[in-house]
Amino acid sequence: MIQIDAKEYVKSKNFNPSKKMGQNFLVNENIITKIIESISFDNVDTIIEIGPGLGALTKHLVNTNKPVICIELDKRLYSELKVKFKEVKNLTLINNDVLREDFDLLTQNTGKTMIVSNLPYSISSLVIVKFLKCKNIDSMYCMLQKEMAQRLIAKPRQKEYNSFSVLAQYQSSVKFLVDVNKNNFYPMPEVDSSFISISKNKQYEEQFDKFLKIIFSSKRKTLNNNLKARFNSNEINSIFEQFNLLPTIRSEELNPQQIHDIFKFLNKG
């Protein structure tokens, strides 16, 4: 297996990890093994890795013998990966910003596809929404800031529960897999991380996403007051009658299915 030592690379190459790109490299092989073992590669034809860095996960992903597509923004790391993995036939490297990459085009002929990623924290929510919108990718395994992971798995009435929680949970099954302490990275980030899986079971609905932003626009307000920004009093009253809701109820007290039922009721016409 290809050997990768992030600390040695940074020192020997005088490499300055970019804070802007969120470059914190996994350096604990035991954690890396736990992460790989937590991933189900069954019924998957192609793997897309976002932000491979120096290839800590890549070296294991290519050993599945499935086609692996790596998207790396940093030209320095892209060049290093090309050298390190030059003998690997089932690896394709792309030097691009993942937010600019057309996932639908990329996955036109890749069969059943999954994403694996150690995401830069600054773009994690954007990449997850991009994944949720893509019709051809069914599952995603990703490293997130622990706070973000908790938001994705949060339940109603928990302080982390918000529109993003509802969107992800209604459209998919979100599972916590591995806790990763910050000292397992180099350079060490300021926060701990969690490795999670997101498995889609429904297609993305743009109008539902917009509806969530309306009803969670102000956590201090009741559902009734947030709905006033978009719906008239007759529509709002009909919701509370149809679903037998208390007038003081807030959006964060409702589960994802209840919220989608309300959305469908309001848009039945």
Side-chain angles (χ1 to χ4, degrees), residues 96-113:
N96 195 14
D97 181 345
V98 66
L99 296 177
R100 295 176 181 271
E101 192 68 34
D102 186 332
F103 276 9
D104 289 325
L105 184 62
L106 183 66
T107 58
Q108 272 185 332
N109 302 302
T110 57
K112 198 171 177 66
T113 305

Side-chain angles (χ1 to χ4, degrees), residues 54 66 89 183 248:
L54 287 166
K66 301 175 186 292
K89 304 300 182 186
N183 61 17
T248 56

Side-chain angles (χ1 to χ4, degrees), residues 21 23 47-54 58 61 68-75 77-78 81 91-104 106-107 113-120 123 127 130 137:
M21 294 185 196
Q23 289 176 345
I47 302 165
I48 295 175
E49 186 183 8
I50 299 170
L54 287 166
T58 315
L61 298 178
V68 178
I69 302 170
C70 287
I71 305 171
E72 176 56 58
L73 173 60
D74 192 317
K75 291 181 179 180
L77 295 178
Y78 170 74
L81 291 167
L91 178 65
T92 301
L93 292 168
I94 297 174
N95 180 211
N96 195 14
D97 181 345
V98 66
L99 296 177
R100 295 176 181 271
E101 192 68 34
D102 186 332
F103 276 9
D104 289 325
L106 183 66
T107 58
T113 305
M114 72 154 56
I115 291 173
V116 177
S117 181
N118 178 9
L119 286 176
I123 63 166
V127 175
K130 188 179 177 77
I137 306 177

Side-chain angles (χ1 to χ4, degrees), residues 89-227:
K89 304 300 182 186
N90 60 319
L91 178 65
T92 301
L93 292 168
I94 297 174
N95 180 211
N96 195 14
D97 181 345
V98 66
L99 296 177
R100 295 176 181 271
E101 192 68 34
D102 186 332
F103 276 9
D104 289 325
L105 184 62
L106 183 66
T107 58
Q108 272 185 332
N109 302 302
T110 57
K112 198 171 177 66
T113 305
M114 72 154 56
I115 291 173
V116 177
S117 181
N118 178 9
L119 286 176
Y121 296 150
S122 61
I123 63 166
S124 56
S125 60
L126 297 174
V127 175
I128 290 171
V129 171
K130 188 179 177 77
F131 152 70
L132 292 174
K133 290 180 177 181
C134 182
K135 296 177 181 178
N136 304 328
I137 306 177
D138 298 320
S139 59
M140 179 175 188
Y141 290 81
C142 56
M143 185 83 71
L144 300 173
Q145 182 177 344
K146 195 169 185 177
E147 182 182 332
M148 172 66 76
Q150 288 171 336
R151 197 175 303 155
L152 281 170
I153 64 173
K155 300 303 178 189
R157 295 185 177 84
Q158 293 181 338
K159 65 177 182 178
E160 297 87 2
Y161 188 71
N162 62 10
S163 62
F164 192 41
S165 316
V166 175
L167 179 67
Q169 291 178 34
Y170 179 74
Q171 192 179 337
S172 53
S173 172
V174 184
K175 293 181 181 178
F176 161 84
L177 298 173
V178 183
D179 250 342
V180 186
N181 191 281
K182 60 186 179 182
N183 61 17
N184 292 299
F185 296 89
Y186 183 83
M188 187 172 70
E190 295 179 359
V191 295
D192 294 332
S193 301
S194 295
F195 191 68
I196 68 166
S197 69
I198 309 173
S199 301
K200 282 195 293 194
N201 45 47
K202 298 181 183 71
Q203 287 300 318
Y204 174 80
E205 297 176 75
E206 185 177 359
Q207 293 307 311
F208 181 49
D209 193 357
K210 290 179 179 178
F211 177 71
L212 291 174
K213 289 179 174 61
I214 292 169
I215 67 169
F216 281 92
S217 60
S218 175
K219 294 199 79 173
R220 292 184 177 183
K221 292 183 179 180
T222 61
L223 172 64
N224 189 342
N225 283 333
N226 278 327
L227 285 169

